[in-house]
Amino acid sequence: MRGSRLAWVAGLLALVALIGAQATQAGPAGGHAIGIWPIGGATACLMVSPRPRTAILVALIALIGVASIWAGGREPAVALGLGVGLGAEAWVVWRVMAAGRRERPPLRTSPDLARFLAATACGVLVIAVAAAATSAATGFGDPGVLALAIASSSLLSQLTVVPFFCRLRNHDPLAGPVERAVQWALVVVVTPLVFVPQDFPSIVFLVLPLLVWGALRNSPYESLAQLVVVLAVAIVMTTYGHGPFANAGRRFDIAVDTQGILLGLYGAVCALVVLPLILAVGEQIENARQAAAERDLVQNIVNGAAGVAIIGTDAQGAVTLFNPGAERLLGYTAEEMLGTTTRRLHSTKAIAEKARQLGVENDFDVVARALLGAGARDMRFVRKDGVERVHSMSLDPIHDDRGVVTGYVSTSEDITDRSEAEQRLVEAVERLREVDQVKDAFVSSVSHELRTPITSILGYTEMLEDGVYGDLAPEQLDAVRRLSANSIRLLSLIDDLLTLSRVQEDGLAVADRIVDLRRIVTAGAAVVAPTLEQRRLELTVDLPQEPVPFLGDRDMLERVVINLVGNAVKFTPEGGRVEVALLAERDAAVLEIADTGIGIPPEEQEQLFSRFFRSSLAQQQAIPGSGLGLSIAHAIVDKHGGTMSVESEPGRGTTFRVRLPLLTAA
């Protein structure tokens, strides 16, 4: 690959040397310019191959320039000055255009074109300065005329040759074979014809429409080829004395080198017409391809949204888009809806209802404007079969790049079934809430009714145990004691139910008096202490030295301590221990009850504070309980503005923490 590129560069340099030698001999008699020297090809050499080194290649270009100019009959000093100037020009154009990289630079966008023109201008300025300096130093011609003549020829060469070696945005020709054949025929025929007359300079610009036609309809390289053909014919015809530029100096009594100046400027004008058009057409085709790809993507997305109705309208409200989802949900076909308005999709009643909700005038257009950009709103749509359905709809405007509204798009989803299901669910929840309230009221009422007879039963069993009605036999006394114990358990359950009912229905009337939490913890632990007399358990209570004031209900807080400590004792096997600690932090009091009991499985800990919940381990070990104690304690703590948490591991114990906010100074 590298060898082939080096061969390509060598061939290009040889072609530059050959054309350069011919150009220096093609100038008008008595002139000092060097013709249209192929400096564009020399610049291209720096772009197409990484080797040889830049300095060597620039030196070769300068050497070829010196040799071709010298061979064209110029003095050695003149040839040296102009040759070095040509080498410097090629280097400057390459450096600016390719940013110092030995590669083909892009020429696809307007910024690329601006960089190319800037590079060409810098290079032309370099050769103009070199030509003027050479003329001034050697006395060869007029410095200004020589500089202008060589600069104009270099401008023509750079603008027409270098683009061939740039990376253009190539595309297939828009014109068909017949149209392109006609173009080429006209270029080949018209160009020589316009360079026959000598007295009508403006006639040569008749080829510009042909070049513009080709730039708009052909591929970029074919358009450049037509430009090169036109300029080649112009150069040849002018060299052989034809056309308005030939012998212009003698005919108009001005400098002989004016011929080259006019020819160079003509070629530059043609190139500056063709190049921007080539780039503009390429950009337009690329943008059209991207727009088509994006349009296809959006169209596929819109058509693929089978469950969503997507309706687009123009700025006047006429439907321009009705996707398959809209056809499925609304029953109309796209052909039936295109060009009509969406007014037919909404009943008068639905518009009036939405107007009331939005607080606007009962008018379709007013309601539509109120919905613009408001996000998803429920809106009733009428299907083609007359059935009205509820949609969740969003309506948004479409703006162009200037911010002007060009249309509107609505997206909607049928939520009728979901709305009805949600409504039924709300009604079911409300009925369940009513049932729950009736159940709670029933439990509370029954508990109140049961408390009196059970209390009476307990009184009579105590009298029987005391022998008020006579001495009992041992078996009778044991039965009475069992009856008394079960009555006490039943009365405790009733108390729990009544307490829970009070917490849930009536709330807690938190007392305004301040209590010392240390006394509450001590009293609660004392209530549970008698149950330890026949158990091998260790109960410790750790309290702070200073009072811990708290504003709350003493009896309810004491019940929390009793329930938590009682549970710890109940679920801790023989030989275990229960630790109760009250800690006073900066803004809260923390009550910790830790035991070494059976623990609670992790998956059940979230349900601990639910009514009637009992852990699987408690049920497996047949430990009695109602499942109300923790729910009551949690409700009481919550009513006091506190929190309750638990940490537990099966077989290793449980720790409950109650955090209560302390009083703060006003």
Side-chain angles (χ1 to χ4, degrees):
M1 177 68 72
R2 180 172 296 176
S4 62
R5 294 179 68 178
L6 286 175
W8 171 256
V9 172
L12 189 57
L13 285 174
L15 185 61
V16 167
L18 178 61
I19 297 176
Q22 295 295 323
T24 56
Q25 297 177 5
H32 298 85
I34 57 173
I36 309 299
W37 204 86
I39 185 61
T43 303
C45 291
L46 289 165
M47 297 178 177
V48 298
S49 176
R51 292 183 181 277
R53 294 171 64 94
T54 301
I56 296 175
L57 189 53
V58 171
L60 285 174
I61 294 171
L63 183 61
I64 292 173
V66 172
S68 61
I69 295 171
W70 191 4
R74 307 307 189 267
E75 297 178 2
V78 174
L80 179 62
L82 296 181
V84 171
L86 291 172
E89 177 189 358
W91 181 85
V92 168
V93 174
W94 161 76
R95 184 73 184 181
V96 176
M97 180 63 181
R101 293 187 293 270
R102 300 289 296 277
E103 61 183 26
R104 294 170 62 196
L107 186 56
R108 298 174 175 173
T109 63
S110 296
D112 294 340
L113 178 61
R115 185 170 58 251
F116 170 59
L117 295 179
T120 301
C122 291
V124 169
L125 181 61
V126 168
I127 190 60
V129 171
T134 300
S135 175
T138 61
F140 182 72
D142 181 82
V145 175
L146 183 63
L148 188 57
I150 295 181
S152 60
S153 66
S154 291
L155 181 64
L156 183 154
S157 180
Q158 298 282 13
L159 291 177
T160 56
V161 176
V162 171
F164 272 104
F165 299 90
C166 294
R167 286 185 284 122
L168 298 172
R169 184 182 277 115
N170 201 12
H171 58 81
D172 294 332
L174 301 178
V178 175
E179 181 181 349
R180 291 161 62 197
V182 171
Q183 286 180 7
W184 278 105
L186 289 174
V187 167
V188 172
V189 172
V190 171
T191 305
L193 291 178
V194 299
F195 274 90
V196 171
Q198 290 189 340
D199 297 328
F200 302 99
S202 59
I203 199 173
V204 296
F205 289 99
L206 289 177
V207 297
L208 281 179
L210 297 177
L211 294 177
V212 170
W213 182 14
L216 293 176
R217 301 287 292 170
N218 293 336
S219 67
Y221 290 104
E222 186 173 2
S223 300
L224 288 175
Q226 290 180 347
L227 173 64
V228 170
V229 168
V230 168
L231 296 182
V233 172
I235 293 171
V236 171
M237 295 285 288
T238 301
T239 300
Y240 286 96
H242 300 286
F245 307 138
N247 302 313
R250 287 192 295 271
R251 287 191 293 117
F252 299 106
D253 194 22
I254 53 179
V256 175
D257 288 326
T258 303
Q259 171 180 307
I261 296 173
L262 295 175
L263 184 59
L265 292 177
Y266 172 75
V269 169
C270 293
L272 291 175
V273 170
V274 170
L275 283 176
L277 288 176
I278 290 175
L279 269 61
V281 171
E283 284 187 284
Q284 184 178 16
I285 291 175
E286 182 63 26
N287 291 337
R289 289 174 179 170
Q290 293 179 359
E294 292 177 0
R295 183 180 63 248
D296 291 343
L297 176 62
V298 172
Q299 189 67 42
N300 290 335
I301 294 174
V302 169
N303 292 339
V308 179
I310 302 177
I311 304 174
T313 70
D314 59 20
Q316 287 70 43
V319 175
T320 57
L321 170 66
F322 202 77
N323 81 321
E327 292 181 332
R328 188 178 69 84
L329 294 179
L330 299 173
Y332 293 96
T333 64
E335 289 74 15
E336 291 175 305
M337 289 300 301
L338 292 179
T340 66
T341 70
T342 58
R343 180 66 182 82
R344 66 196 297 187
L345 300 177
H346 307 284
S347 66
T348 302
K349 182 179 179 181
I351 296 300
E353 178 182 308
K354 184 56 64 175
R356 286 194 302 271
Q357 292 177 2
L358 298 174
V360 298
E361 181 184 349
N362 182 13
D363 180 78
F364 176 77
D365 294 333
V366 175
V367 171
R369 284 194 294 270
L371 291 173
L372 277 175
R377 295 291 185 92
D378 289 353
M379 189 72 187
R380 285 188 290 165
F381 281 70
V382 179
R383 289 173 46 88
K384 184 178 180 180
D385 56 11
V387 177
E388 196 167 45
R389 307 283 291 180
V390 178
H391 285 210
S392 177
M393 184 193 77
S394 296
L395 180 63
D396 296 286
I398 301 174
H399 300 89
D400 61 15
D401 55 358
R402 299 169 297 170
V404 178
V405 175
T406 59
Y408 305 92
V409 61
S410 75
T411 58
S412 64
E413 182 182 3
D414 192 330
I415 60 169
T416 306
D417 296 336
R418 187 177 71 191
S419 298
E420 293 176 353
E422 289 176 352
Q423 183 61 32
R424 289 194 295 269
L425 181 60
V426 170
E427 294 173 356
V429 170
E430 186 61 31
R431 286 197 295 270
L432 287 175
R433 186 179 292 111
E434 294 174 358
V435 170
D436 193 53
Q437 291 174 350
V438 171
K439 179 202 68 176
D440 290 341
F442 173 76
V443 170
S444 177
S445 176
V446 170
S447 299
H448 276 289
E449 294 298 325
L450 289 176
R451 184 179 180 85
T452 299
I454 291 176
T455 302
S456 177
I457 291 172
L458 279 173
Y460 279 107
T461 55
E462 289 178 1
M463 294 171 65
L464 287 172
E465 286 185 77
D466 294 340
V468 174
Y469 299 105
D471 294 334
L472 300 177
E475 294 82 1
Q476 293 173 326
L477 184 59
D478 181 64
V480 169
R481 287 174 177 169
R482 290 177 182 272
L483 177 62
S484 177
N486 285 322
S487 297
I488 292 172
R489 288 182 58 192
L490 185 56
L491 187 61
S492 176
L493 176 59
I494 291 172
D495 286 340
D496 285 343
L497 290 172
L498 290 173
T499 301
L500 190 61
S501 175
R502 177 186 170 193
V503 170
Q504 291 179 334
E505 295 180 7
D506 302 331
L508 285 175
V510 178
D512 290 334
R513 62 181 181 176
I514 299 175
V515 296
D516 186 354
L517 289 179
R518 296 183 306 166
R519 294 185 178 182
I520 292 176
V521 174
T522 301
V527 172
V528 181
T531 62
L532 298 174
E533 294 178 356
Q534 299 179 354
R535 299 282 308 278
R536 290 187 297 105
L537 290 177
E538 178 184 355
L539 173 63
T540 61
V541 180
D542 184 14
L543 302 174
Q545 296 295 324
E546 301 295 328
V548 183
F550 184 73
L551 186 66
D553 189 300
R554 177 186 181 89
D555 294 335
M556 287 295 178
L557 292 172
E558 187 174 313
R559 191 174 188 87
V560 172
V561 178
I562 294 172
N563 284 354
L564 293 178
V565 177
N567 275 356
V569 170
K570 182 166 56 175
F571 293 111
T572 301
E574 302 296 328
R577 69 179 183 277
V578 177
E579 299 175 351
V580 181
L582 179 64
L583 308 172
E585 298 181 350
R586 186 168 60 91
D587 57 351
V590 180
L591 174 64
E592 290 189 357
I593 296 93
D595 63 58
T596 58
I598 61 176
I600 306 163
E603 64 274 9
E604 299 179 0
Q605 293 177 14
E606 291 185 359
Q607 307 176 59
L608 276 180
F609 305 122
S610 302
R611 288 180 293 173
F612 305 107
F613 176 78
R614 302 190 68 230
S615 74
S616 57
L617 295 180
Q619 297 180 48
Q620 291 171 7
Q621 300 186 26
I623 300 175
S626 64
L628 292 175
L630 287 178
S631 63
I632 292 173
H634 185 270
I636 294 173
V637 170
D638 185 65
K639 292 291 184 180
H640 282 83
T643 60
M644 182 183 295
S645 60
V646 61
E647 294 179 6
S648 184
E649 187 176 343
R652 305 192 65 174
T654 302
T655 299
F656 282 91
R657 288 186 181 85
V658 176
R659 294 182 63 87
L660 296 170
L662 289 178
L663 292 173
T664 57

